[in-house]
Amino acid sequence: MMGENKKCIGLIFGGYSNEHEVSISSAKTVFRAFHSKINKQRFIIKAFYINKYGDWLESDLSEKILTGEIDDDALNKQRIFIQEKINFLEGINFQNVDIWFPLLHGFNGEDGSIHGLLKFTKKPLVGCGIIGSALGMDKIMMKTIFSKLKLPQVNYLVFQNEDLNDKEVKNKLINEILKKLNFPVFVKPSNSGSSLGISKVTNESEIFQALDQAWAIDQRILIEEGLEVREIECGIIGTSNLLASEIGEVKYENDWYDYDSKYNLNSKITIPAEIDPKTTKQIREIAIQSCKALNIFGLARVDFFLEKFSNKILINEINTIPGFTKKSMFPMLWKASGLNIEQLVAKLVDISLDL
């Protein structure tokens, strides 16, 4: 009888994205959490892996990647198992899926692409919809909305669809940066995650290379003024009633919070962050306000800067499919707030089924 009542979770991971490996790590954590003793009584998992070429693989093969029986690197290098590829709209067996759990970080997933595709299946999903996902992924649009709401941010410039192959255009952009911002600055592609494509620039001679690096990922570029700040993060779950987690702080050995700091090196994480109650309350309130403004719900991680000398709160960005790896902040924040990873994944499903 219990088996008949179990909900089937369609876990989607991998993806045609520069965050492919992070997605696999997140999916392995979530897969294990759903296979805990208590969650196995409520859920069954159907895995769907998308390789680095954008090919969907059938469920049994996908699950073997999560269990470690198959190495995804070898799979992608050889591009084998061609006969196991499926066309999503024609060949994927999703009729017994009750709810989707997409864990596609970055573009072609977190940007709303997967949400639009899954909408055609008429099944609910864990996370927000197309609009919130797209706005959360696009740093320029997100900051524009934050500006309209008068939420505090660092000073920034936006360059959209400029031809960086034209030296005159490049020089014009550099002059604008020198005129309007103070060093150091951070050069970012508008659509990318996990700090990929981002450069810290400390002087004029480094700008050319930083612009090229960002432009290779996205021709819409954001330039932010760097300040002496603390990195503060807050988790959000819920739909109409959004809940904020404990506040966490990340301290890192690198010069800034880059990809290595997030996934490869030993950053020091403090939860709850050592900040006063008033500031904690304000961060939680701004986190909820910003998510509502962008129509973000289900789950999110809101990142802040806390300026060191003034204690001023500055909102940085929102991640609508935050990492679930062993070193990811989002599950740590909720564990400190009373939900371990097994409880968290079950809670996220329950939240989404109530929509």
Side-chain angles (χ1 to χ4, degrees):
M1 187 73 174
M2 177 65 72
E4 295 176 5
N5 295 326
K6 289 182 180 181
K7 295 293 183 183
C8 180
I9 313 296
L11 185 64
I12 306 174
F13 66 102
Y16 179 50
S17 163
N18 56 5
E19 296 185 70
H20 184 93
E21 285 76 16
V22 179
S23 172
I24 294 173
S25 296
S26 288
K28 286 180 177 179
T29 302
V30 171
F31 183 77
R32 286 191 295 268
F34 275 120
H35 279 82
S36 67
K37 185 177 179 180
I38 190 167
N39 280 343
K40 282 201 295 186
Q41 297 174 27
R42 295 187 57 202
F43 307 110
I44 56 175
I45 301 298
K46 193 165 188 177
F48 297 95
Y49 171 65
I50 305 174
N51 68 17
K52 292 180 178 179
Y53 304 97
D55 304 321
W56 289 69
L57 273 64
E58 56 85 23
S59 186
D60 290 342
L61 190 62
S62 299
E63 185 168 322
K64 288 179 180 178
I65 293 172
L66 295 179
T67 59
E69 296 174 62
I70 292 178
D71 179 62
D72 65 284
D73 275 339
L75 193 67
N76 281 289
K77 284 176 183 175
Q78 299 176 39
R79 208 172 184 184
I80 55 176
F81 300 102
I82 296 300
Q83 71 276 14
E84 305 289 355
K85 290 193 310 180
I86 53 178
N87 180 295
F88 180 86
L89 294 176
E90 295 176 0
I92 191 170
N93 180 15
F94 62 81
Q95 297 307 319
N96 61 341
V97 171
D98 294 302
I99 180 168
W100 296 105
F101 201 130
L103 282 168
L104 299 177
H105 304 308
F107 52 78
N108 296 319
E110 192 172 356
D111 57 2
S113 302
I114 192 65
H115 305 76
L117 182 61
L118 295 180
K119 193 170 185 178
F120 286 99
T121 70
K122 299 180 180 179
K123 312 275 187 179
L125 59 83
V126 171
C128 59
I130 300 169
I131 294 176
S133 300
L135 291 174
M137 186 70 189
D138 192 301
K139 294 179 177 67
I140 291 174
M141 291 304 300
M142 179 168 33
K143 285 191 166 293
T144 301
I145 294 172
F146 289 164
S147 294
K148 294 292 183 183
L149 292 172
K150 301 191 184 315
L151 294 177
Q153 305 179 78
V154 298
N155 295 327
Y156 67 93
L157 291 173
V158 170
F159 299 143
Q160 302 198 66
N161 303 313
E162 301 279 3
D163 183 7
L164 295 191
N165 291 319
D166 187 325
K167 193 171 182 180
E168 285 188 13
V169 170
K170 244 183 186 176
N171 286 329
K172 181 193 76 172
L173 300 184
I174 289 174
N175 287 333
E176 190 171 352
I177 292 170
L178 295 173
K179 181 180 178 182
K180 296 183 178 179
L181 300 178
N182 296 313
F183 288 114
V185 297
F186 288 89
V187 180
K188 303 180 177 183
S190 186
N191 280 275
S192 187
S194 292
S195 299
L196 294 168
I198 299 177
S199 303
K200 181 178 180 179
V201 174
T202 58
N203 58 67
E204 183 179 350
S205 66
E206 298 172 351
I207 299 178
F208 263 21
Q209 184 177 350
L211 288 172
D212 285 339
Q213 187 173 325
W215 198 59
I217 294 176
D218 192 347
Q219 293 188 10
R220 299 167 63 250
I221 298 173
L222 178 72
I223 319 290
E224 293 181 335
E225 196 168 78
L227 300 173
E228 287 292 319
V229 296
R230 298 164 66 184
E231 297 269 358
I232 304 294
E233 302 185 358
C234 177
I236 295 290
I237 60 173
T239 50
S240 56
N241 181 32
L242 298 181
L243 303 175
S245 71
E246 289 279 4
I247 308 302
E249 179 177 5
V250 182
K251 295 179 181 178
Y252 39 88
E253 296 177 358
N254 283 16
D255 188 34
W256 58 283
Y257 197 29
D258 59 3
Y259 183 92
D260 283 339
S261 300
K262 291 180 178 179
Y263 299 111
N264 299 332
L265 299 178
N266 293 321
S267 300
K268 182 183 177 184
I269 293 175
T270 304
I271 307 174
E274 295 174 353
I275 52 180
D276 63 84
K278 182 181 177 182
T279 303
T280 297
K281 182 174 181 289
Q282 289 176 328
I283 289 171
R284 285 200 179 110
E285 289 172 350
I286 295 172
I288 291 173
Q289 180 189 4
S290 60
C291 284
K292 286 183 175 180
L294 272 61
N295 196 36
I296 290 172
F297 52 86
L299 75 159
R301 194 193 71 239
V302 187
D303 299 346
F304 293 86
F305 299 134
L306 194 61
E307 193 170 17
K308 289 182 178 179
F309 80 91
S310 68
N311 212 38
K312 183 179 180 181
I313 300 167
L314 301 162
I315 188 165
N316 181 23
E317 63 182 22
I318 305 176
N319 293 270
T320 58
I321 304 183
F324 279 83
T325 73
K326 292 178 180 178
K327 296 182 179 181
S328 294
M329 182 67 104
F330 184 77
M332 292 185 198
L333 290 169
W334 284 107
K335 184 177 181 180
S337 305
L339 292 174
N340 63 33
I341 186 64
E342 293 83 9
Q343 295 168 319
L344 177 59
V345 297
K347 179 73 171 176
L348 291 172
V349 171
D350 292 341
I351 286 170
S352 300
L353 288 175
D354 285 338
L355 289 175

